[in-house]
Amino acid sequence: MLTHSYWKWNIQEDHFVLGSSFWESLSERYPEHFLNADKAKSLFTNTDLDRVKELLHKALHRSDTPVFSASSNHQLTDPVRSFSLHWTGEVFGSSSASEYYAIGEVRSLFRGKESSLQMPNNPEFYQQLMDSLPDSVFFKDLESRFIAINKACADKFGIDDPSEAIGKTDFDFFNLSHAQQAFEDEQAIIKTGKPIIHKTEKEVYLNEDMRTTWTSTSKLPLYNSDGIIIGTYGVSTDITDQKRAQKQNERLRNQLVAVFDTDPNMLFVKDVKGKYVIVNKAKADFHNLPKTEIIGKTDFDLPDVSEEVAESFLKTDRYVIDQKESVFIPEDSEVDEFGNTTWNQTIKVPFQLAETGKMAALSIVMDITEQKERELELNKTLDIISQQNQRLTNFTHIVSHNLRNHAGSISMILELISLDDSEEERSDNLKQLKIA
């Protein structure tokens, strides 16, 4: 017979608690292995609990939602016995929050006439379990009237004793809008048997002195022992602080985007998969696309980016994210369909996304085409000047050579004049000197 027991795991403190019915069922089913429930608890805790926690930890990380499940098989010796357990649970909070825990149920399908795990028929046990949780826990009948709530839920309602809520409905605590929606959700669960998991709700109270709160609420059908739905139950986690922080982040994000859009440089943020998360107007204009058609896409999806270039961008962005190091690209060029060349200078830095806390890459791309064109023009001018200087140097060498030849001729004539004996010879040499 398929029955179940409950468990709670404080993941941050690694404290795992199973309902006492779990140990009682084990000792009753396998008396030759366990003299009593304490023996069952001792053996299971020392041999199998770490493996169960490891399975649950892997399961909750594999799950796309806070709800997860896993199965475990357990072996007993002397004599040899085995049994399987199926664990389902729901995680609350996160590893970065002050509260991070999971609660759920464990089911066991024993073969043949084997007995099954059962919850103790003790209201104090249930109340103790509920009151140990920081979140609001509630049970309702088919008409959405409260039949039980925990201490946290009573505190939220502003009542001293949880029993004061019995027989009342959400209409006694919340405004009409929220109470009506909650009622319709619960009636749908009763009709279809389908749960509602982590629905974000805005709770406005009838008591105007109580502040409006936000919760993440999960509601499920409540069955009796015959498998018939007799109501609903649920858990509400207060996310007011997270919601306010989210709104603040949205405001800051909008301000950041506004600042981005006024910058003439291309500014954009991409996640580890290369998807654009933030894009400014300059970047959108560069691709001649609206920002909404770029966000959520990768460079491989953009029509004006080749696959080779997209691969290069992705490789660089992942390096920035994985190594948490900045990358400076002094210059690179792009040629458009009309043959025009654009020169850019790029800086990429690690950037943490506020919404998820995950790392991304922030890129700042500056158009340096004018600088590059001036640089190329300057280099061209310097080449011309260099060529002119070379021609001038060649001319100087020629002039210098000719001057040296004339100077030699004059020197020789003067020497002949100094050696002449007659006035006539000296006169002829002077004529030659004038010619030179």
Side-chain angles (χ1 to χ4, degrees):
M1 181 180 293
L2 187 65
T3 57
H4 61 275
S5 183
Y6 292 101
W7 56 270
K8 178 185 177 184
W9 182 19
N10 186 324
I11 303 174
Q12 279 187 334
E13 300 178 4
D14 195 23
H15 182 60
F16 197 98
V17 178
L18 272 160
S20 60
S21 62
F22 182 88
W23 317 116
E24 293 172 358
S25 295
L26 280 183
S27 62
E28 290 173 2
R29 178 63 189 87
Y30 302 108
E32 67 274 28
H33 295 85
F34 312 115
L35 296 178
N36 51 48
D38 289 338
K39 292 292 184 181
K41 181 176 182 180
S42 175
L43 180 64
F44 189 90
T45 302
N46 292 332
T47 60
D48 290 357
L49 185 55
D50 287 341
R51 185 163 58 87
V52 168
K53 289 191 291 187
E54 183 179 356
L55 286 171
L56 295 178
H57 198 269
K58 290 180 179 179
L60 69 89
H61 280 288
R62 285 196 305 267
S63 178
D64 294 330
T65 68
V67 179
F68 60 93
S69 64
S71 296
S72 61
N73 185 265
H74 306 270
Q75 303 292 327
L76 299 175
T77 59
D78 193 24
V80 176
R81 294 285 187 273
S82 67
F83 60 96
S84 297
L85 299 173
H86 185 68
W87 307 78
T88 57
E90 183 175 354
V91 66
F92 298 90
S94 66
S95 56
S96 60
S98 58
E99 293 286 342
Y100 186 36
Y101 61 92
I103 59 174
E105 65 179 9
V106 54
R107 292 178 176 267
S108 176
L109 184 60
F110 292 120
R111 296 177 176 83
K113 297 181 180 180
E114 293 180 320
S115 59
S116 57
L117 300 176
Q118 295 182 1
M119 286 291 291
N121 187 18
N122 185 352
E124 293 181 359
F125 170 82
Y126 296 101
Q127 195 63 50
Q128 183 179 2
L129 175 63
M130 289 197 302
D131 288 341
S132 67
L133 300 175
D135 298 320
S136 296
V137 181
F138 51 88
F139 292 81
K140 297 182 179 182
D141 64 13
L142 293 173
E143 297 180 24
S144 292
R145 294 176 298 192
F146 291 105
I147 56 178
I149 65 172
N150 70 341
K151 187 67 169 63
C153 189
D155 292 340
K156 183 173 76 169
F157 289 163
I159 57 180
D160 297 327
D161 192 322
S163 63
E164 295 179 36
I166 296 176
K168 295 183 179 180
T169 69
D170 285 324
F171 292 94
D172 295 304
F173 300 103
F174 300 106
N175 72 346
L176 179 61
S177 176
H178 172 63
Q180 184 64 37
Q181 185 61 57
F183 176 80
E184 292 175 2
D185 287 344
E186 289 154 9
Q187 294 304 305
I189 293 172
I190 292 169
K191 181 179 180 180
T192 65
K194 294 181 179 180
I196 294 176
I197 304 299
H198 283 290
K199 179 179 181 179
T200 299
E201 298 180 322
K202 182 180 181 181
E203 298 180 330
V204 180
Y205 297 86
L206 289 178
N207 185 347
E208 296 181 355
D209 293 333
M210 299 174 66
R211 68 167 188 167
T212 298
T213 56
W214 289 86
T215 63
S216 174
T217 302
S218 297
K219 296 180 179 180
L220 302 91
L222 180 64
Y223 295 90
N224 64 10
S225 58
D226 296 323
I228 299 174
I229 295 177
I230 59 172
T232 60
Y233 70 100
V235 179
S236 291
T237 302
D238 191 312
I239 59 170
T240 305
D241 291 340
Q242 296 94 310
K243 194 70 175 179
R244 289 175 178 171
Q246 181 182 350
K247 288 187 176 181
Q248 178 65 14
N249 287 337
E250 289 176 358
R251 285 195 292 268
L252 292 175
R253 180 191 177 96
N254 292 335
Q255 292 174 0
L256 178 62
V257 170
V259 172
F260 272 23
D261 284 340
T262 61
D263 196 311
N265 300 311
M266 287 187 284
L267 304 175
F268 50 91
V269 176
K270 290 187 279 186
D271 64 17
V272 71
K273 294 181 180 179
K275 291 183 179 180
Y276 285 94
V277 181
I278 301 174
V279 174
N280 78 335
K281 186 176 183 300
K283 175 68 172 176
D285 291 345
F286 177 81
H287 294 287
N288 196 28
L289 290 171
K291 291 192 292 183
T292 54
E293 292 189 20
I294 299 177
I295 292 175
K297 295 182 179 179
T298 69
D299 289 308
F300 295 95
D301 302 318
L302 300 181
D304 57 347
V305 180
S306 68
E307 185 173 348
E308 181 181 358
V309 172
E311 285 281 3
S312 176
F313 287 163
L314 181 60
K315 182 178 179 180
T316 305
D317 290 333
R318 283 183 173 172
Y319 174 86
V320 171
I321 295 170
D322 294 340
Q323 302 299 320
K324 293 183 174 60
E325 291 183 6
S326 301
V327 170
F328 175 64
I329 304 173
E331 61 181 41
D332 58 20
S333 61
E334 294 181 272
V335 180
D336 64 19
E337 56 183 328
F338 304 108
N340 301 315
T341 301
T342 301
W343 292 86
N344 295 316
Q345 184 176 90
T346 304
I347 301 174
K348 293 180 177 287
V349 298
F351 183 87
Q352 187 173 30
L353 298 173
E355 296 88 345
T356 63
K358 295 182 179 180
M359 295 305 297
L362 167 63
S363 298
I364 305 171
V365 182
M366 294 166 280
D367 188 333
I368 58 170
T369 303
E370 291 186 7
Q371 297 170 244
K372 193 65 182 179
E373 289 177 348
R374 286 197 297 268
E375 179 184 332
L376 294 174
E377 186 66 29
L378 177 60
N379 289 337
K380 182 178 179 180
T381 302
L382 291 175
D383 288 341
I384 293 173
I385 293 174
S386 177
Q387 293 172 7
Q388 291 176 341
N389 285 340
Q390 186 61 45
R391 289 197 292 269
L392 181 59
T393 299
N394 293 338
F395 175 74
T396 303
H397 288 163
I398 293 172
V399 171
S400 174
H401 175 74
N402 291 337
L403 288 176
R404 283 197 300 272
N405 288 342
H406 284 294
S409 299
I410 293 171
S411 175
M412 183 179 67
I413 294 172
L414 290 175
E415 185 176 351
L416 289 174
I417 291 175
S418 67
L419 297 176
D420 288 340
D421 294 331
S422 65
E423 189 64 32
E424 184 178 355
E425 291 175 345
R426 188 176 290 110
S427 176
D428 288 339
N429 285 330
L430 288 173
K431 289 179 180 180
Q432 293 295 327
L433 180 60
K434 288 180 180 180
I435 292 172

